[in-house]
Amino acid sequence: MLIKTLPVGQLETNCYIVTNEETLRCVVIDPGDESNTILDYLEDNHLTCEAIFLTHGHFDHTGACETVAEETGAIVYMNEADDAKNIKSMHYLFTLPENGKYYRDGDTVTAAGMNFEIIATPGHTPGGVTIRSGEALFTGDTLFRGSCGRTDLDGGDPSALFDSLAKLCALDGDYEVYPGHMDSSSLTREKNFNFYCRKAMQNK
């Protein structure tokens, strides 16, 4: 599994291209902006995008989703709670297309020959999820390197966010953490040095 990080848009949202190197099939996680950048990477590397996964519904994570889906024919997946038709806010602008699919906590989606487990991690948004594949956690705006997502926007819930951080910290083993913004990390590092993770674990 090859993971490519493409920071896109004014907020430098991390869009991830997760590729099955044996088949050159891939999934795109959080195509937030700059559809041309994403599509050029796919074309330059001869990749076939089979699915698009959204960690949550904020506009900076979904802005290029419609274009990338139309150009590639990929199926879009998201949590229904963050669909713009269910939460009225300027921060949620994306509605799942007719051929898209909603996923829930505990679902496993197989795409591009890889398995992706969905872990519900609300708090930053009602429908926020973390996507686990192999030794990688794509945490969206739930968990950052040394920090966590804000909860003061529409749909934010501080209590739910701390529960979600505790849920991630309770996972067995170590994982590479690929957040929605800024640098990657590891779950062990965050459990040891992230103030918010330590507070979440103490509250459990």
Side-chain angles (χ1 to χ4, degrees), residues 11-25:
L11 298 181
E12 295 192 327
T13 299
N14 288 332
C15 171
Y16 295 104
I17 316 295
V18 185
T19 300
N20 183 330
E21 296 176 272
E22 295 181 357
T23 64
L24 297 185
R25 294 182 292 157

Side-chain angles (χ1 to χ4, degrees), residues 22-155:
E22 295 181 357
T23 64
L24 297 185
R25 294 182 292 157
C26 72
V27 305
V28 174
I29 299 175
D30 287 353
D33 202 350
E34 300 180 31
S35 58
N36 286 343
T37 298
I38 299 168
L39 293 169
D40 285 349
Y41 178 84
L42 298 179
E43 182 178 358
D44 291 345
N45 291 277
H46 310 290
L47 304 181
T48 300
C49 178
E50 291 192 354
I52 297 171
F53 297 144
L54 301 178
T55 61
H56 62 290
H58 280 164
F59 68 89
D60 59 313
H61 290 254
T62 65
C65 189
E66 183 176 356
T67 300
V68 174
E70 288 179 353
E71 291 295 323
T72 63
I75 299 173
V76 182
Y77 294 81
M78 72 181 301
N79 187 309
E80 188 173 7
D82 276 11
D83 193 309
K85 69 181 183 182
N86 295 320
I87 181 166
K88 305 304 180 184
S89 167
M90 62 180 291
H91 302 292
Y92 302 80
L93 303 177
F94 183 76
T95 296
L96 195 72
E98 289 186 5
N99 66 337
K101 297 182 180 180
Y102 293 122
Y103 43 35
R104 299 180 180 180
D105 185 42
D107 285 352
T108 297
V109 180
T110 300
M114 300 174 286
N115 292 326
F116 298 86
E117 181 184 348
I118 307 306
I119 304 171
T121 49
H124 178 65
T125 67
V129 303
T130 290
I131 301 165
R132 174 165 63 178
S133 185
E135 301 302 314
L137 290 177
F138 301 93
T139 58
D141 287 4
T142 297
L143 174 62
F144 297 130
R145 183 182 179 92
S147 188
C148 65
R150 60 191 294 183
T151 58
D152 59 328
L153 301 177
D154 294 331

